Amino acid sequence: MDRRQRFLAALARQPVDRPPVWLMRQAGRYLSGYRAVRAEHGFWEVCRTPELSTRVALEPLQRFALDAAIVFSDILVVPEALGAGVSFEKGEGPLFTNVLRSRADLAKWNTTGLMERLAYVPNAVKHLSQTLDGSHGLLGFTGAPFTLFAYSVEGGGSDDFRHARAMLASEPGLARDAMNVLADAIVELGLAELAAGADAVQLFDTWGGLLTKDEYRAHVVPPLNRAASKLRASGKPVILFIKGGMHLLEVLEEVEVDGVSLDWRTSFTEARAALPHHLLQGQLDPVLLFAGEEAVRQRTRALLDELDALPGGNRGCIVNLGHGILPQTPERSVAALCEEVAARAP
Ligand code: 1CP
């Protein structure tokens, strides 16, 4: 099987010669090639220049036996296009100029001509897709409504996203309206990425795991389904990633996605029991990549054995990390992980 066939077969939950592998944030700061590009170009400039975004998206594919590419972009492109004013300061997380704390702030979000301001994302997908020419699978992505809401209210990164979570309790109507605006933007962006050549779209609900089951059901599932159902109508699969989402597995039955990307604390065996028919992806600990090559090889082999032993076997399983690759990750560990997965092909 070639790489793209394998990736498409896994997405369709059909038999594969071995599970495909790609890694969240595979094109990021741990790669010297990425850092070299960033030394000369700003983050938004890389995102908005198809040649540059394709160059950094291809870097990991040239080094490692990965089966899929992910477009180089960011989840925060949506709040940026709505007018949040997002900048990435050196070595720090994102910083928003305009935060969402009131109805008046929400009223300032500019949805007119949104896709014109976001056209650089599908343009990047198209350029990457044409360059790949079918050699690898291709993922598009966007943030999920709650995680984009969380950044928009907080105005940047946070451990607890306290302002955003407080708003769910203090002003649920405002939170709902904001997440609905985000959901509609996500639909437009995701459909444009799929039309530009992405094989699937991943929704990053990185901070969804901060919520209780009841909060996720009440506040997050409605806007998430508003977005996911329309994306799925394209006929291509939608995958949802939640960090720390073990306690939400049973709620995910109610979410209209094809696949779930597990963090390192949720095993495939537990997830398969809760979600017998979903595409599952994950869940090696990004920190494992600091444990030395032999540990990486052993743990990867153990994961592949676990997939083979699932009811239904490794159909509908994609090997990935349980969260994004960390900046100082040794490239040799990434190579070892991919080699072990590739070694499973007959
Ligand atoms: O392979 C890739 O790296 C593909 C592109 C990609 C993806 C999939 C980037 C580039 N960002 C993302 C997703 C993303 N961005 C998520 C979801 C995945 C996850 O949980 O890691 C999140 C939460 C963000 C937000 C974001 N963007 C952060 C974290 C902020 C925080 O502290 O909460 C940061 C640091 C960024 C900037 C960014 N985006 C991408 C890169 C390579 C970087 C680093 C910027 C730089 O070069 O300085």
Side-chain angles (χ1 to χ4, degrees):
M1 272 180 143
D2 71 32
R3 297 186 181 290
R4 181 149 184 268
Q5 274 176 346
R6 177 181 299 120
F7 187 67
L8 294 179
L11 288 177
R13 286 154 275 180
Q14 284 163 1
V16 284
D17 57 347
R18 61 151 174 95
V21 57
W22 72 277
L23 305 174
M24 287 193 270
R25 310 294 287 263
Q26 65 191 23
R29 286 170 290 181
Y30 73 105
L31 283 179
S32 53
Y34 176 76
R35 294 194 301 270
V37 171
R38 280 285 281 110
E40 300 199 3
H41 305 279
F43 181 73
W44 289 120
E45 187 190 350
V46 179
C47 293
R48 289 177 174 140
T49 312
E51 292 73 21
L52 289 177
S53 74
T54 292
R55 183 168 144 200
V56 298
L58 291 180
E59 286 269 341
L61 308 185
Q62 287 153 355
R63 283 180 170 70
F64 314 117
L66 294 159
D67 295 296
I70 180 161
V71 62
F72 190 82
S73 175
D74 196 78
I75 65 166
L76 301 180
V77 299
V78 168
E80 164 65 14
L82 289 169
V86 182
S87 59
F88 296 97
E89 302 302 323
K90 267 210 173 70
E92 284 169 46
L95 214 59
F96 285 49
T97 316
N98 305 310
V99 296
L100 175 78
R101 295 286 165 87
S102 66
R103 282 265 160 212
D105 295 333
L106 178 58
K108 284 187 218 141
W109 279 7
N110 180 13
T111 54
T112 312
L114 188 75
M115 268 322 289
E116 282 143 44
R117 290 192 293 287
L118 284 172
Y120 64 93
V121 182
N123 287 346
V125 172
K126 194 170 179 192
H127 191 270
L128 179 57
S129 168
Q130 286 169 347
T131 309
L132 290 171
D133 196 20
S135 66
H136 292 73
L138 175 53
L139 283 133
F141 73 94
T142 88
F146 172 70
T147 288
L148 296 184
F149 166 80
Y151 279 105
S152 303
V153 175
E154 218 64 34
S158 166
D159 291 336
D160 55 13
F161 287 87
R162 62 185 69 177
H163 295 97
R165 286 160 62 210
M167 194 189 283
L168 292 182
S170 63
E171 292 191 75
L174 174 56
R176 183 199 57 223
D177 292 350
M179 282 191 264
N180 281 339
V181 174
L182 290 165
D184 293 344
I186 288 161
V187 169
E188 281 200 76
L189 178 60
L191 289 177
E193 292 179 66
L194 292 167
D199 296 315
V201 66
Q202 178 148 326
L203 301 180
F204 284 97
D205 206 1
T206 301
W207 300 107
L210 290 173
L211 304 179
T212 67
K213 219 185 295 186
D214 288 347
E215 286 170 331
Y216 204 84
R217 251 195 198 111
H219 300 288
V220 180
V221 172
L224 189 53
N225 278 344
R226 178 177 173 130
S229 59
K230 291 185 188 138
L231 291 170
R232 277 180 103 184
S234 68
K236 290 182 179 175
V238 177
I239 304 171
L240 176 68
F241 169 70
I242 306 179
K243 184 164 75 130
M246 175 72 186
H247 62 296
L248 301 175
L249 279 179
E250 68 180 82
V251 181
L252 297 183
E253 280 268 274
E254 300 154 31
V255 176
E256 296 173 43
V257 293
D258 304 272
V260 173
S261 194
L262 310 168
D263 95 342
W264 65 98
R265 290 158 291 193
T266 309
S267 74
F268 272 87
T269 304
E270 289 163 304
R272 185 48 88 219
L275 303 168
H277 307 298
H278 280 67
L279 166 70
L280 296 177
Q281 172 177 277
Q283 48 78 281
L284 292 166
D285 188 344
V287 169
L288 170 73
L289 299 172
F290 293 88
E293 241 183 273
E294 201 35 53
V296 171
R297 289 185 188 279
Q298 272 178 27
R299 181 68 191 87
T300 305
R301 286 197 293 268
L303 178 72
L304 292 161
D305 292 342
E306 182 185 347
L307 301 188
D308 288 340
L310 291 173
N314 66 14
R315 264 186 202 212
C317 292
I318 297 175
V319 174
N320 203 316
L321 298 176
H323 193 212
I325 298 191
L326 294 160
Q328 279 85 33
T329 298
E331 294 186 21
R332 288 180 55 200
S333 292
V334 180
L337 190 168
C338 297
E339 282 165 19
E340 287 299 329
V341 180
R344 287 290 164 124

